[in-house]
Amino acid sequence: MSDNSLLDWKLRLSFSPETELTNGARKYSITSEMGIYVDGEKTEISIFFPDDLNMNRELFIFLNSMNAVNKNGIWRISREMEVSKDFRKLMQGLVGAQSAVLSSAWIDKGIFKVEIIFSKNRLEKISSILLKNMDQTSDVAIEYLGPSGGMKKSLEDLSNRSNVSVIEYDFTLDQTKFADRIDALGNSWFRIIKSPYESRTVSAVYIIRDGQKVGSRLNEIIKGRLYEVEIHNPIFTEINNKIRKERIPVLLKMQALENGTMRYFIILPSIFSLELLGILRETGLMEMGLNPVIRRVQPIEEWLNSSSIFREVDF
């Protein structure tokens, strides 16, 4: 556990609205990691579980009622989450707060759980959002608010809960095509996408090495170290649209720029790894001249123990 992590505080919320999905998940003991997409007034979730040839008739009827899809031996439920406007406002406020990253979300037998990690120096803002949007009638409970141990600790907790993998790939940027983007953001950085299902505008938290140049577009959180910025990337948008269409619950996305090479890290349930690679192939990265190289597809606990990124970045 890092004592110097820049994202050093964590909030975990739980809630269980009375809906057909939560009642069914409780009845059939469904536990799943969860992808969350928040876009305006719409909150969409994706959950999954492996097919079972001995599935009972009642569960099959429930899945049909949820418009679940069985593909490659995986049942996938993707639907608009039935939550109050107050909850949407709460989640949008929390994920929208500077430095806040939606680091984990899952459903456990009908109870939704969400974790957000952030910089402690934004604690007053997080506290204000909670106090404005929660009252005695709220169906949202604060399970934890305190030290996070950093992103690595959050990923360790995730790996202890589920079979999760990381896909890492990279490509060399064409300096003539991307020079303006590199100059604006600095030439060496690590960033975490604040919510893994971005809309057209991508918000990311940037961790900058000491002494690195930073661009004027970055919103400062911790001087010289931690920043936030909104970017627009049509490649992200296309990949996200395909992921949502296939109901794949991507859990976290991180990226790094090092000496003109972009490194991508996508964290997702291991059972979806091959499908995600197929989406990357279909997106046309090679046709764009980016020529991606797949570096690893690895269980997350192995990656946490071996990757140099956790020695290089204080997150």
Side-chain angles (χ1 to χ4, degrees):
M1 184 182 296
S2 172
D3 295 323
N4 302 310
S5 57
L6 297 171
L7 301 175
D8 53 353
W9 228 242
K10 178 172 71 177
L11 169 67
R12 182 168 65 246
L13 302 174
S14 65
F15 58 104
S16 184
E18 288 296 319
T19 67
E20 188 179 359
L21 175 59
T22 54
N23 290 336
R26 193 177 301 114
K27 179 178 180 180
Y28 300 109
S29 300
I30 294 174
T31 297
S32 169
E33 297 305 316
M34 183 167 66
I36 298 183
Y37 182 89
V38 180
D39 187 12
E41 294 298 308
K42 185 176 184 179
T43 304
E44 184 180 294
I45 62 168
S46 296
I47 64 173
F48 73 99
F49 59 95
D51 191 13
D52 182 352
L53 295 177
N54 298 315
M55 180 185 298
N56 66 53
R57 184 171 179 273
E58 283 190 1
L59 177 54
F60 185 76
I61 292 172
F62 166 70
L63 291 172
N64 281 334
S65 72
M66 292 288 100
N67 295 318
V69 172
N70 186 351
K71 182 178 179 181
N72 296 333
I74 309 168
W75 282 101
R76 309 142 195 250
I77 299 174
S78 182
R79 61 190 288 114
E80 189 167 350
M81 186 186 288
E82 300 171 51
V83 294
S84 65
K85 289 183 179 179
D86 291 340
F87 176 78
R88 280 198 297 268
K89 187 176 179 182
L90 171 65
M91 283 300 298
Q92 289 169 352
L94 290 172
V95 176
Q98 283 191 358
S99 82
V101 173
L102 179 60
S103 60
S104 190
W106 68 103
I107 184 170
D108 184 9
K109 300 178 179 65
I111 300 175
F112 294 112
K113 295 178 183 281
V114 174
E115 286 189 355
I116 293 170
I117 63 173
F118 58 96
S119 171
K120 188 180 179 182
N121 74 357
R122 290 296 186 269
L123 179 57
E124 289 187 9
K125 177 62 175 178
I126 296 292
S127 173
S128 173
I129 293 167
L130 291 171
L131 291 172
K132 286 179 180 178
N133 292 282
M134 296 182 68
D135 56 32
Q136 293 179 353
T137 63
S138 175
D139 61 355
V140 180
I142 299 175
E143 290 194 353
Y144 179 85
L145 177 61
S148 69
M151 178 61 79
K152 186 174 184 180
K153 177 61 167 60
S154 292
L155 293 174
E156 287 172 347
D157 292 343
L158 174 58
S159 71
N160 289 333
R161 190 172 68 234
S162 297
N163 291 324
V164 179
S165 291
V166 59
I167 293 176
E168 178 183 348
Y169 65 100
D170 62 37
F171 49 79
T172 301
L173 293 179
D174 184 327
Q175 299 292 320
T176 59
K177 292 181 179 179
F178 295 93
D180 58 334
R181 190 173 302 173
I182 293 172
D183 289 344
L185 301 174
N187 57 20
S188 180
W189 42 254
F190 182 88
R191 70 185 178 196
I192 307 170
I193 305 303
K194 287 169 64 70
S195 177
Y197 289 101
E198 318 88 26
S199 56
R200 290 185 179 275
T201 300
V202 179
S203 294
V205 173
Y206 283 74
I207 297 170
I208 309 294
R209 291 183 175 88
D210 286 328
Q212 285 289 332
K213 180 191 73 173
V214 297
S216 59
R217 291 197 293 127
L218 297 180
N219 296 309
E220 185 177 278
I221 301 169
I222 298 176
K223 185 174 179 59
R225 298 305 314 283
L226 195 65
Y227 297 83
E228 185 170 314
V229 69
E230 288 187 350
I231 54 178
H232 175 69
N233 190 313
I235 299 174
F236 288 165
T237 300
E238 184 177 353
I239 291 174
N240 286 333
N241 288 340
K242 290 180 180 293
I243 288 171
R244 289 181 68 196
K245 182 180 179 181
E246 296 302 324
R247 307 181 179 199
I248 298 175
V250 167
L251 309 178
L252 199 66
K253 292 179 185 173
M254 300 182 287
Q255 295 145 13
L257 177 66
E258 299 173 354
N259 301 318
T261 298
M262 281 289 296
R263 300 172 65 190
Y264 281 68
F265 308 89
I266 299 178
I267 295 170
L268 75 170
S270 301
I271 199 169
F272 290 102
S273 295
L274 286 177
E275 287 190 46
L276 199 283
L277 289 174
I279 287 174
L280 294 178
R281 182 182 64 246
E282 295 166 3
T283 305
L285 296 175
M286 287 180 284
E287 287 79 359
M288 298 175 193
L290 296 176
N291 298 319
V293 177
I294 303 298
R295 295 295 177 186
R296 71 177 78 204
V297 180
Q298 186 177 33
I300 198 168
E301 59 269 20
E302 294 180 11
W303 181 60
L304 291 172
N305 292 327
S306 64
S307 176
S308 63
I309 202 77
F310 295 99
R311 296 189 296 272
E312 299 166 358
V313 182
D314 296 325
F315 69 109

